[in-house]
Amino acid sequence: MKKQKYNIQVFAAGVLSLKETPGGYFKMKLAASGIAKAARPGQFISLQVNASGMPLMRRPMGIFSANKGAVEILFKAAGKGTEMLSRKKQGESVSVLGPLGNGFSVREELRHAILVAGGYGVSPIAFLYEELRKRKITTTVIIGAKNKKLIFKEGFSNPIITTEDGSEGFKGLVTERLNAACAGFACGSSAVFACGPVPMLKAAAEVSEKHGIECQVSMESLMACGVGVCLSCVCAVKEGMDTGYKRICADGPVFDSREIVWRT
Amino acid sequence: MADLKVKIAGIKMKNPVMLASGTCGFGEEFSRIFDLNLLGGIIVKGTTLKPRAGNKPPRAAETPYGMLNSIGLQNPGVFAVINEKLPFLRQFDLPVFVNIAGNSKEEYAELARLLGNAKGVSALEVNISCPNVKHKNSGLFCQDLGDVYAITRAVKRQSRVPVFVKLSAEVSDFKETVKTAVRAGADGLSLINTLRGMAIDIKTGKPKLANIIGGLSGPAIKPVGIRAVYEAFSQVKVPIIGMGGIASAEDALEYLIAGASAVAVGTASFYDPLTPISITKGLKKYFEDKPSDSVSKIRGRISF
Ligand SMILES: Cc1cc2nc3c(=O)[nH]c(=O)nc-3n(C[C@H](O)[C@H](O)[C@H](O)COP(=O)(O)OP(=O)(O)OC[C@H]3O[C@@H](n4cnc5c(N)ncnc54)[C@H](O)[C@@H]3O)c2cc1C
Ligand SMILES: Cc1cc2nc3c(=O)[nH]c(=O)nc-3n(C[C@H](O)[C@H](O)[C@H](O)COP(=O)(O)O)c2cc1C
Ligand code: FES
């Protein structure tokens, strides 16, 4: 019998710290050495916010950092589950499942990366940014938000900020800044990595494709299992002449933008 | 050590804890989390003759103590299942039940012929209760006693392995449905499939599922499953795989006492993939404390 490799863990992780951050986020640090060692940027974990079944499903969260036996997540208290998560205390534990998903793929030839983040999409982008720095790959970081109050830019040096109301950085959407950034780099040795709301991902895909630059988008959906067994989290993809479906949790969450069939 | 071994329709299992169809794929994913050899058995995803893309997303919604799904039987088709999925499962010491779904009696029969002869299939589970595919009058096959009889009979004729018929509790005469399946030759029953439900986003006024209606599963439906198993056990002698909201050893015991011979874990695996392992542990402990009892002895032992 073939020896099986157990590379997805599920266990009760201790909460090492929980802090509020600029942009209205919560940053939670969890003791999870196995996940910290294995995790790649763009992967996520899934947390059981309440063991008594309300809410029933785990909540998926991108990995913000993975260092020295700990994993950090960055989240918004957006609804009942994340609200409960934001009230956890240091020393309590939360069941985590992970690491999940494929993560971003960084080609050998990559010399320059353009990172585009919207909302909590900044979390996996921050992890990727650290990784690229270690690999001496230069970056242009573009962070977009509705207004100044929602910006999280900790850890990035000189990010380009865009706000819809102009309260910080450039007024408008990330698209224009991305367009300018793409124009400055050769397509073969650069790539765009985007994580954020779907309209932003779609716009990032269009701009990158126009410039002939590879674009990786991190998709999201409601997830029941997070590991690929339930088929609830699919997105439409091009399959030859047809449309098929791929699982965002297991085949993604990161996809080549050219593969996605964007819903209008 | 308490012995949890069971034998259903001639199939030997190490313990009575299985994984329910559509909630464990074809085993690959969970094999990355735990040792599949610890399971009593696995019931793989609903398989159709041709590959199916499934329904449009969103396909799931969370509900109180449960969830709605409208996956629409996305699967790679019977040939890919035989050539790509079953070989993987053959490396485990694990009875494999293949769940089949068709659009007609003929399709079910063809699936039974192909899978009944495939290597590594212990039994067939005939899904005539899927709420996510459209049948002639947009109801479920199992809501028509004529269809229950004809499909079960057709599958039985073609299959070389035992046939379990999977029913919904959403039928007008449940006892009669159960008896019809057994009269047509079912070697066992799987009870229950999901119950049709709906959820609406009050902010947008839109249904939460693209398919509008989906199947409700999870702890919320457990009492319906218990009732179905109890009623079926009162009518027929064949083994019953009980399912619907099982998340703990206590839930499993409740199903066994209601009349189940084995149980299957579905939705609970989503929020805790180790549920089947903890259920097996819990059952071991239960029977260690009661050495004169066993899984088969407590079957149907309700004290009124
Ligand atoms: C791969 C992945 C990575 C994610 N990473 C992060 C992250 O790093 N930080 C973060 O804050 N959030 C992240 N999310 C989103 C987060 O999982 C949801 O916000 C969360 O599940 C909402 O739960 P809730 O109980 O608070 O909200 P609910 O009360 O369930 O719903 C509140 C609102 O959130 C929406 N929602 C529910 N589930 C999801 C979901 N899975 N994705 C998007 N919207 C949802 C609902 O439609 C509703 O509008 C990620 C989601 C995915 C799929
Ligand atoms: C996402 C999902 C997919 C399912 N797919 C199938 C299927 O393909 N065939 C089938 O017979 N039942 C399918 N079911 C039903 C389950 O096998 C089971 O009967 C039901 O969910 C009740 O058990 P539970 O409450 O433990 O989930 C599915 C259930 C869920 C939640
Ligand atoms: S969430 Fe279950 S397959 Fe992706």
Side-chain angles (χ1 to χ4, degrees):
Chain A
M1 205 165 295
K2 208 172 89 188
K3 190 118 177 68
Q4 284 301 313
K5 208 169 135 214
Y6 305 114
N7 49 15
I8 299 177
Q9 303 184 351
V10 53
F11 61 95
V15 177
L16 298 172
S17 65
L18 178 63
K19 286 189 220 107
E20 285 187 61
T21 74
Y25 293 96
F26 291 88
K27 196 201 283 181
M28 180 182 272
K29 191 176 199 172
L30 295 155
S33 59
I35 295 180
K37 215 179 278 163
R40 296 187 306 272
Q43 287 190 302
F44 62 99
I45 58 176
S46 203
L47 298 96
Q48 190 170 43
V49 296
N50 186 1
S52 75
M54 250 332 230
L56 193 65
M57 295 303 161
R58 284 173 184 269
R59 297 305 196 245
M61 292 287 158
I63 298 174
F64 174 77
S65 80
N67 267 317
K68 300 190 197 91
V71 165
E72 282 182 308
I73 55 170
L74 188 74
F75 65 94
K76 271 265 153 76
K80 55 189 180 317
T82 43
E83 169 67 33
M84 284 169 111
L85 199 59
S86 74
R87 286 195 308 256
K88 296 274 176 206
K89 301 266 175 310
Q90 187 182 332
E92 281 185 67
S93 65
V94 186
S95 170
V96 300
L97 174 69
L100 304 172
N102 57 355
F104 294 105
S105 61
V106 178
R107 282 180 288 122
E108 234 7 91
E109 317 84 76
L110 190 76
R111 292 292 161 270
H112 189 78
I114 303 164
L115 310 184
V116 184
Y120 51 75
V122 73
S123 172
I125 290 294
F127 188 11
L128 177 65
Y129 177 78
E130 280 308 309
E131 177 75 15
L132 294 171
R133 279 203 341 174
K134 278 186 208 147
R135 291 174 60 168
K136 307 268 190 296
I137 294 165
T138 58
T139 52
T140 302
V141 179
I142 308 169
I143 299 171
K146 278 216 169 58
N147 60 57
K148 184 185 164 129
K149 283 200 205 108
L150 300 173
I151 294 281
F152 178 96
K153 55 184 178 186
E154 194 180 283
F156 298 103
S157 65
N158 298 315
I160 298 167
I161 306 291
T162 71
T163 51
E164 284 172 39
D165 67 354
S167 53
E168 185 173 339
F170 295 90
K171 185 174 160 91
L173 302 170
V174 296
T175 332
E176 246 171 79
R177 294 300 114 206
L178 176 60
N179 198 24
C182 284
F185 295 98
C187 42
S189 57
S190 49
V192 173
F193 299 88
C195 189
V198 169
M200 194 203 90
L201 298 181
K202 186 176 177 225
E206 281 164 5
V207 172
S208 315
E209 284 164 33
K210 188 182 79 189
H211 288 273
I213 294 182
E214 175 199 357
C215 178
Q216 294 178 27
V217 291
S218 181
M219 303 289 287
E220 72 162 54
S221 143
L222 193 130
M223 291 181 174
C225 75
V227 299
V229 294
C230 74
L231 307 176
S232 69
C233 65
V234 298
C235 63
V237 294
K238 297 167 197 147
E239 273 185 354
M241 303 294 281
D242 296 330
T243 295
Y245 293 110
K246 276 196 175 175
R247 300 165 302 179
I248 292 175
C249 70
D251 304 312
V254 181
F255 293 90
D256 185 316
S257 66
R258 286 164 300 187
E259 206 183 341
I260 304 290
V261 179
W262 299 101
R263 276 195 287 160
T264 41
Chain B
M1 276 285 270
D3 186 1
L4 295 182
K5 281 196 204 106
V6 291
K7 198 167 160 187
I8 60 169
I11 302 156
K12 286 187 199 143
M13 309 202 299
K14 278 172 245 151
N15 62 62
V17 186
M18 312 179 72
L19 297 182
S21 177
T23 65
C24 56
F26 294 88
E28 288 126 322
E29 294 82 7
F30 282 146
S31 79
R32 296 174 60 193
I33 307 179
F34 64 85
D35 183 0
L36 298 187
N37 291 306
L38 297 172
L39 295 168
I42 186 169
I43 312 172
V44 300
K45 178 67 189 167
T47 298
T48 52
L49 268 184
K50 296 208 184 84
R52 272 178 72 106
N55 291 331
K56 279 207 183 101
R59 291 176 173 184
E62 194 177 32
T63 59
Y65 298 98
M67 66 176 279
L68 291 166
N69 89 79
S70 62
I71 309 302
L73 286 179
Q74 177 180 339
N75 80 93
V78 67
F79 295 105
V81 169
I82 291 173
N83 296 322
E84 293 156 31
K85 304 296 181 185
L86 292 177
F88 171 80
L89 284 167
R90 286 204 292 268
Q91 27 167 351
F92 302 94
D93 173 22
L94 183 67
V96 175
F97 286 49
V98 181
N99 180 281
I100 58 172
N103 290 313
S104 63
K105 181 180 84 180
E106 290 72 26
E107 278 191 24
Y108 278 100
E110 180 62 1
L111 284 160
R113 189 181 67 78
L114 293 165
L115 285 160
N117 287 303
K119 219 170 128 197
V121 177
S122 299
L124 297 179
E125 180 178 73
V126 188
N127 179 6
I128 50 172
S129 46
C130 184
N132 292 319
V133 286
K134 293 207 167 48
H135 294 307
K136 47 184 183 190
N137 41 16
S138 90
L140 316 171
F141 273 130
C142 67
Q143 287 172 335
D144 180 323
L145 291 176
D147 284 336
V148 173
Y149 189 86
I151 293 169
T152 307
R153 191 96 204 104
V155 169
K156 237 342 245 184
R157 269 212 199 106
Q158 292 296 330
S159 177
R160 288 162 33 135
V161 294
V163 172
F164 282 71
V165 174
K166 184 161 179 180
L167 298 174
S168 165
E170 273 188 277
V171 294
S172 52
D173 189 340
F174 185 70
K175 289 181 182 172
E176 203 44 49
T177 309
V178 162
K179 284 195 279 186
T180 303
V182 173
R183 217 182 298 129
D187 301 292
L189 298 171
S190 289
L191 306 173
I192 56 172
N193 211 320
T194 55
L195 305 170
R196 284 174 303 169
M198 179 171 172
I200 301 164
D201 182 333
I202 56 164
K203 277 190 232 121
T204 61
K206 283 189 187 160
K208 289 193 178 174
L209 301 175
N211 201 46
I212 305 171
I213 288 171
L216 181 65
S217 64
I221 71 166
K222 193 182 73 171
V224 183
I226 296 286
R227 184 270 292 175
V229 169
Y230 159 69
E231 286 195 334
F233 184 72
S234 73
Q235 301 298 312
V236 296
K237 297 252 165 355
V238 298
I240 297 169
I241 305 172
M243 64 191 88
I246 298 176
S248 66
E250 288 76 16
D251 297 334
L253 286 163
E254 193 177 342
Y255 268 93
L256 297 173
I257 294 170
S261 332
V263 295
V265 178
T267 302
S269 293
F270 298 164
Y271 55 90
D272 182 3
L274 300 182
T275 303
I277 312 298
S278 47
I279 291 180
T280 310
K281 275 194 195 138
L283 290 180
K284 267 207 180 108
K285 173 139 196 353
Y286 179 86
F287 289 109
E288 259 157 32
D289 295 345
K290 291 197 171 59
S292 59
D293 267 348
S294 71
V295 176
S296 47
K297 274 194 197 149
I298 67 164
R299 180 179 185 205
R301 206 172 65 189
I302 307 178
S303 33
F304 294 97

